[in-house]
Amino acid sequence: MSTPEFIRRIRATAGHQLLFLPGVTAVVFDGEGRVLLGRRADTGGWSVIGGISEPGEQPAETAVREVYEETAVRCVAERVVLVQCLQPVTYANGDACQYMDITFRCRAVGGEARVNDEESLDVAWFAVDALPPLEAFALDRIRQALKDEPTWFEPAGT
């Protein structure tokens, strides 16, 4: 994930201290029920699409923007499927971040899936019963997006 300019400006004065940031994940399905995945340039692994909201940007707008920026697929956010505060992460350069992730189930409405930025090595549609190896983060979000249930969140006090 490339660092947004507003984060670079914050880091200029905040240094490496922990930043709490709004993150968004998009689980995008096409008309055939396939899920859109990107193979990340930073890890080499396949994952769902996501990114950081810009100041003033609504989370659903972030989901739609990130999907297009990374995959050239146009989508609409249909519903929130998960809200979760993630564990803090420290990057190789020493920057510490913790993300509040809002995951959306999205529907593709146009565009042709392809690598559309430097964050991805590959982009492809996968049948949900034929997914490539994925980390628990992506699998949990895909499974939740497939359910017709209320938004998942971790109950208070757990």
Side-chain angles (χ1 to χ4, degrees):
M1 166 184 328
S2 66
T3 305
E5 182 57 35
F6 81 95
I7 300 289
R8 286 192 197 103
R9 288 192 304 271
I10 292 170
R11 286 283 180 213
T13 58
H16 298 299
Q17 70 180 296
L18 179 70
L19 297 182
F20 189 67
L21 300 170
V24 171
T25 301
V27 180
V28 184
F29 294 98
D30 68 3
E32 298 173 36
R34 299 177 300 174
V35 64
L36 180 65
L37 300 176
R39 193 160 64 88
R40 297 174 55 105
D42 59 351
T43 66
W46 289 95
S47 192
V48 287
I49 310 304
I52 300 170
S53 294
E54 297 285 337
E57 184 177 44
Q58 293 296 327
E61 291 175 310
T62 303
V64 169
R65 176 181 55 77
E66 288 288 344
V67 169
Y68 182 75
E69 285 179 359
E70 295 182 24
T71 71
V73 170
R74 300 273 182 202
C75 70
V76 294
E78 294 183 316
R79 64 184 172 92
V80 173
V81 298
L82 179 148
V83 176
Q84 183 180 36
C85 183
L86 304 179
Q87 291 297 313
V89 60
T90 300
Y91 294 99
N93 68 355
D95 288 350
C97 295
Q98 185 171 22
Y99 299 96
M100 175 61 71
D101 179 58
I102 302 172
T103 298
F104 289 88
R105 178 188 169 106
C106 300
R107 178 175 38 89
V109 295
E112 199 66 36
R114 62 177 171 80
V115 173
N116 203 34
D117 69 4
E118 71 285 344
E119 295 181 38
S120 302
L121 300 173
D122 199 3
V123 171
W125 293 101
F126 291 90
V128 294
D129 61 355
L131 296 172
L134 296 170
E135 292 188 9
F137 178 91
L139 283 173
D140 290 346
R141 281 149 178 75
I142 292 168
R143 286 185 190 120
Q144 192 64 33
L146 288 168
K147 296 177 183 178
D148 189 22
E149 296 179 358
T151 301
W152 181 91
F153 60 93
E154 198 157 323
T158 58

